[in-house]
Amino acid sequence: MKIFIDTANVEQIREVSGWGILDGVTTNPTLVAKEKMDFETIVRETCAIVDGPISAEAMSTRSEDIVKEARKLASIHKNIVIKIPMTEEGLKATKTLSKEGIKVNMTLVFSPAQALLACKAGARYISPFVGRLDDIGHNGMEVVAQILDIIDNYGFDAEVIVASVRHPGHVVEAAMMGAHIATVPYEVLKKMFKHPLTDQGIDKFLQDWEKVAKR
Ligand code: E4P
């Protein structure tokens, strides 16, 4: 499974890229708003760090404007993927852009029906937001399983990005059901390292090794 980081913080991207496990990056307007850097600088610096798909969101609402914005963003770097919210106008823009070879990540997907339409419009990535579904009492991972089945049934050329990940359990579930990608916040990636038995084990080995060294 590919692991993306869900952040617009260039330092976090640099650090996690150094771990050797990072395949791509997703950003969104809320994540960008948390940073001091301007959007284009964030996108350019990210492309210089990570050699993989970098999602940048188009914020226009009419399909013609989304297409214009997307072309401009895509011209920044070959790895840019345009994130487009799941709307009627977004679908129209996705169709146009996919014909031009510009990759689209259809975002704010909350149902298998939306995902099916996104696939048919030519979206290369589909982002179901599992955490936000869980937050309202639905089962986000169930929606991921349904979308994976649909992609598999018809051989759509699309990958699922499990998004709105809240904890390592979401990532494990995504991997167990064969989701293509999980986009994971920095704090959750850090938690994925941790296990108390690993820490205890290292402490014990270090103590015992000191005894060996004293011999
Ligand atoms: C996905 O691409 C989004 O940026 C993100 O996963 C949204 O997550 P949130 O629900 O934590 O805002």
Side-chain angles (χ1 to χ4, degrees), residues 18-110:
W19 299 350
I21 52 92
L22 194 62
D23 300 296
V25 180
T26 54
T27 61
N28 69 37
T30 306
L31 294 172
V32 172
K34 286 184 194 163
E35 305 302 322
K36 290 202 177 83
M37 249 181 225
D38 69 280
F39 182 40
E40 194 171 323
T41 311
I42 290 172
V43 171
R44 284 186 189 279
E45 292 209 6
T46 302
C47 290
I49 299 167
V50 180
D51 186 17
I54 315 291
S55 285
E57 194 148 340
M59 292 308 296
S60 306
T61 49
R62 288 172 55 241
S63 72
E64 310 83 68
D65 300 334
I66 298 172
V67 168
K68 271 189 218 147
E69 202 183 331
R71 285 181 186 140
K72 199 165 162 229
L73 283 170
S75 72
I76 295 177
H77 195 277
K78 66 174 172 50
N79 287 344
I80 303 282
V81 172
I82 312 302
K83 235 177 166 187
I84 300 181
M86 173 67 212
T87 61
E88 213 174 295
E89 294 297 302
L91 282 176
K92 284 191 231 167
T94 299
K95 188 76 196 174
T96 307
L97 292 166
S98 65
K99 279 194 200 147
E100 292 177 15
I102 294 176
K103 291 185 179 140
V104 171
N105 171 0
M106 190 121 265
T107 191
L108 290 168
V109 169
F110 294 96

